[in-house]
C-alpha cells in the first residue's frame, strides 16, 4: 500500500504530459497542411484604399508566426515529456556505506586518470602537431576551437610548404597570391557595411520571435565566417594549391609532351594542381596565332622559374665575363618576335682555332663566346652559336631565331635535372 502511494505521484505527471503531447500533436498535424491553403487568399487580397499597402505582408508574417508557435510548442512539450522519465529514473535509493566508498574511489580514479591532449604542456603538444601530415592537421583542427587555432599556425605549415611546393613555387607565384589576398580583403571591406546591416536586421527580426529558420541562417553564416582560415595564412595558401583553385606561373621541361622541337628546353606555363592524378594542368602562352592545348604534366617536368624575368622580357645577362669552356648555361631563345622566350640548355665550347688544351686555351679571354647545343648533330645549324661577350643583348633573325639573356648554371642538381631529359639519340 505504501509502495503504491509513493509510485503514483511519479507516474501521474507522465500520463498528463503524454496526453497533452498527443492533443497538441493532433492540433499541429491538422493545422499544418492547411497553412499553404491559407496563404493562397493572402496572395490574392484585393488592393483596397481602406487597408495600408503593407497589409499583405502583415498577414503572411502572422501565418508564419502561428506555424512557428505551434512547432515550438510541440518541441517544448516533447522535450518536457522526455525529461520527466529521466528525472524519475535518476532517483535511486541511497547506497550503503560500503557501496558509497567504492563509488567515491572509482570516481576519484576516473577523474584523476582522465587526460586530454590539451592537458599536455606546450612543448610536447607542439612536437606532436609538427609530426602530423597536412590531412591530419586538418582533421585535428576540427576537434575544438583551441586545436583549430593551434593547427593553423604558420610554423606548422612551413615545413609542408617547403617539402611539397617549394620546387614549383617561385617569387612570382607568391606575389600573385599576395595580390589575390589583397583583392579579397578589399572586397570584404567594401561588403562589410552591407553584411553588418544584414546581420543587424536579421538579428532584430529573430529577437521579435524565435523563428527557427532565421536562427539557423544566422548561425550558419557566423560559423562559415569563423571557420574559414584567414587568407593571409600559410594553411590557406597550401589548401588553395592543393585543391587547384590557385593557378600560378611555373616552368615545364620539354613542353607539349616532349615534342622534338622543344627537347632540352623549359618554357613558362600557368599550372594548377590536379590532386586526383597528382599532376599539373599546364597552359602555355600563345605562340603567335596558334594557341597550344592544355596538357597534363608530372612533377618531374616542372620547376620554379629560374629568374624573375617574365617570358616576354629580355633577361639581363650578368655572367658573361665568368663563362669558360665546359660551363653549363641556359639561354633565352624564341622563334619570332611575337613568341615568348624559352630557356634552352647548352655548354660553353672552344673557339675553332683553339687546340682545346688546358694549358694553352685562351677562350676565356676572348670577346667571342661559343655556345654549343650538343643534343643536335654536328652538321645542324642549331649546333653552335657565337655571341659577343661585351655587347650581347638580343641576337638573331627570323631564320635562326632570337637569342636572349644567359644564366650560368652552377648548381649540380640543376645540371643533373637537365641530364634526365637528354634524348636517347641525337636529334
Amino acid at each position: 500500500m505504501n509502495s503504491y502511494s509513493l509510485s503514483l505521484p511519479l507516474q501521474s505527471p507522465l500520463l498528463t504530459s503524454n496526453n497533452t503531447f498527443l492533443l497538441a500533436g493532433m492540433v499541429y498535424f491538422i493545422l499544418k497542411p492547411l497553412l499553404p491553403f491559407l496563404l493562397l487568399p493572402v496572395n490574392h487580397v484585393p488592393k483596397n484604399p481602406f487597408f495600408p499597402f503593407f497589409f499583405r505582408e502583415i498577414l503572411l508574417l502572422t501565418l508564419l508566426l502561428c506555424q512557428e508557435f505551434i512547432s515550438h510548442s510541440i518541441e517544448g512539450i516533447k522535450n518536457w515529456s522526455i525529461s520527466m522519465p529521466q528525472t524519475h529514473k535518476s532517483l535511486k535509493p541511497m547506497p550503503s556505506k560500503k557501496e558509497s566508498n567504492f563509488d567515491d574511489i572509482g570516481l576519484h580514479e576516473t577523474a584523476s586518470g582522465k587526460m586530454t591532449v590539451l592537458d599536455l604542456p606546450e612543448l610536447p603538444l607542439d612536437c606532436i602537431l609538427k609530426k602530423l601530415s597536412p590531412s591530419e592537421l586538418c582533421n585535428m583542427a576540427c576537434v575544438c576551437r583551441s586545436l583549430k587555432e593551434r593547427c593553423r599556425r604558420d610554423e606548422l605549415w612551413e615545413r609542408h610548404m617547403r617539402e611539397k611546393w617549394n620546387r614549383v613555387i617561385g617569387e612570382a607565384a607568391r606575389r600573385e597570391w599576395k595580390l589575390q589576398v589583397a583583392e579579397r580583403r578589399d572586397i570584404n571591406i567594401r561588403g562589410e557595411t552591407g553584411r553588418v546591416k544584414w546581420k543587424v536586421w536579421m538579428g532584430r527580426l529573430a529577437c521579435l520571435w524565435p523563428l527557427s529558420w532565421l536562427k539557423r541562417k544566422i548561425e550558419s553564416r557566423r560559423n562559415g565566417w569563423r571557420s574559414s582560415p584567414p587568407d593571409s595564412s600559410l594553411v590557406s595558401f597550401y589548401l588553395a594549391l592543393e585543391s587547384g583553385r590557385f593557378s600560378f606561373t611555373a616552368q615545364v621541361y620539354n613542353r607539349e609532351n616532349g615534342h622534338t622541337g622543344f627537347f632540352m628546353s623549359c618554357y613558362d606555363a600557368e599550372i594548377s594542381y590536379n590532386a586526383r592524378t597528382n599532376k599539373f594542368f599546364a597552359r602555355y602562352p600563345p605562340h603567335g596565332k596558334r594557341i597550344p592545348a592544355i596538357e597534363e604534366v608530372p612533377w618531374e617536368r616542372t620547376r620554379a622559374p629560374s629568374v624573375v624575368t617574365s617570358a616576354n622580357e629580355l633577361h639581363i645577362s650578368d655572367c658573361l665575363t665568368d663563362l669558360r669552356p665546359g660551363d653549363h648555361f641556359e639561354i633565352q631563345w624564341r622563334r619570332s618576335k611575337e613568341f615568348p622566350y624559352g630557356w634552352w640548355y647548352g655548354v660553353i665550347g672552344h673557339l675553332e682555332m683553339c687546340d682545346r688544351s688546358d694549358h694553352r686555351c685562351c677562350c676565356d679571354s676572348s670577346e667571342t663566346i661559343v655556345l654549343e647545343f650538343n643534343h643536335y648533330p654536328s652538321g645542324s645549324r642549331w649546333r653552335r652559336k657565337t655571341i659577343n661577350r661585351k655587347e650581347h643583348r638580343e641576337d638573331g633573325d627570323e631564320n635562326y631565331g632570337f637569342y636572349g639573356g644567359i644564366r650560368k648554371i652552377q648548381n649540380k642538381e640543376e645540371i643533373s635535372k637537365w641530364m634526365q631529359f637528354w634524348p636517347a639519340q641525337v636529334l
Side-chain angles (χ1 to χ4, degrees), residues 38 110 140 154 170 192 222 227 238 257 289-290 317 332 338 344 354 360 375 379 382 416 425:
L38 294 176
T110 304
M140 185 68 76
D154 288 348
E192 189 67 25
R222 287 177 180 174
S227 62
Y238 187 96
N257 294 319
K289 297 180 179 180
R290 186 174 70 90
S317 306
Q332 287 180 314
E338 300 176 355
W344 294 72
C354 180
R360 293 188 293 243
H375 53 283
W382 309 109
S416 62
Q425 57 185 1

Side-chain angles (χ1 to χ4, degrees), residues 380-415:
S380 173
R381 63 174 180 171
W382 309 109
R383 174 82 178 205
R384 290 169 62 91
K385 170 65 178 176
T386 59
I387 61 173
N388 189 283
R389 188 185 297 270
K390 295 182 178 180
E391 300 178 358
H392 174 71
R393 295 284 294 175
E394 185 181 50
D395 186 21
D397 51 33
E398 294 292 338
N399 295 326
Y400 290 90
F402 296 89
Y403 295 84
I406 300 177
R407 62 176 292 264
K408 182 179 179 180
I409 305 177
Q410 299 179 351
N411 192 345
K412 294 183 179 180
E413 294 182 359
E414 286 190 72
I415 298 174

Side-chain angles (χ1 to χ4, degrees), residues 160-168 238 242 273 299:
H160 300 299
M161 285 290 299
R162 182 174 61 255
E163 291 178 354
K164 184 169 184 177
W165 297 105
N166 266 18
R167 46 182 163 171
V168 293
Y238 187 96
E242 190 75 20
Y273 183 63
W299 283 85

Side-chain angles (χ1 to χ4, degrees), residues 106-162:
L107 181 62
H108 177 71
E109 290 178 353
T110 304
S112 62
K114 187 176 181 181
M115 183 176 182
T116 64
V117 178
L118 296 177
D119 296 328
L120 294 173
E122 295 288 334
L123 184 59
L125 182 57
D126 291 340
C127 291
I128 293 174
L129 295 179
K130 288 179 180 179
K131 298 293 183 180
L132 300 181
S133 64
S135 59
E136 291 171 343
L137 279 176
C138 293
N139 293 335
M140 185 68 76
C142 299
V143 175
C144 62
R145 184 175 301 177
S146 178
L147 285 176
K148 179 174 64 175
E149 298 299 328
R150 286 179 175 273
C151 293
R152 288 177 178 175
R153 291 182 300 176
D154 288 348
E155 52 265 24
L156 295 178
W157 290 90
E158 285 178 355
R159 179 175 64 86
H160 300 299
M161 285 290 299
R162 182 174 61 255

